[in-house]
Amino acid sequence: MSPLRMIYLALAVWGAIHPMFYFIQWFHAEGWDIMKMVDAWHSNTASSGLVWDLTIAAAALTVWILAEVFTRRNWSAVIAIPATFCIGVSCGLPLYLFLRTRPVS
């Protein structure tokens, strides 16, 4: 595996673990109510801006993944879409780059 692919994989793992650490802490403190978390994301204009920034980035990443999957026929790369929306762009983007840069046979 190339050094670049190892970096992408490490970033995907970090992007999955690090945000989840904070989400799980929040759920333990506030209860397992997803709507309460959504309300917390919009507690002020700065956090709302960040939520929309990440939502738009996730949508753009999804369009890119789908366009490339249909072009390159790399169907396994579709797994980056649920990773993006269930974990975050911090996991989905490097995961997709890892899957996209695999050697072609």
Side-chain angles (χ1 to χ4, degrees), residues 7 11 28 46 48 54 56-57 61 72 75 78 92-95 102:
I7 291 170
L11 288 170
H28 280 292
S48 288
L54 291 170
I56 294 165
L61 177 58
R72 298 170 60 126
W75 302 107
V78 173
L93 176 59
L95 176 61
R102 74 183 170 137

Side-chain angles (χ1 to χ4, degrees), residues 5-34:
R5 286 195 82 219
M6 288 190 294
I7 291 170
Y8 289 149
L9 183 58
L11 288 170
V13 171
W14 183 22
I17 293 171
H18 200 139
M20 282 308 205
F21 172 76
Y22 291 102
F23 290 153
I24 290 171
Q25 277 187 330
W26 188 90
F27 280 128
H28 280 292
E30 302 293 330
W32 293 85
D33 183 358
I34 191 72

Side-chain angles (χ1 to χ4, degrees), residues 57-73:
L61 177 58
T62 299
V63 169
W64 181 38
I65 291 170
L66 291 174
E68 288 226 335
V69 161
F70 284 112
T71 301
R72 298 170 60 126
R73 304 288 186 229

Side-chain angles (χ1 to χ4, degrees), residues 15 20 23 34 37-38 41 51-66 78-93 95:
M20 282 308 205
F23 290 153
I34 191 72
M37 179 177 253
V38 171
W41 289 343
V51 166
W52 281 109
D53 180 62
L54 291 170
T55 301
I56 294 165
L61 177 58
T62 299
V63 169
W64 181 38
I65 291 170
L66 291 174
V78 173
I79 194 71
I81 294 172
T84 298
F85 286 96
C86 294
I87 301 169
V89 176
S90 63
C91 176
L93 176 59
L95 176 61

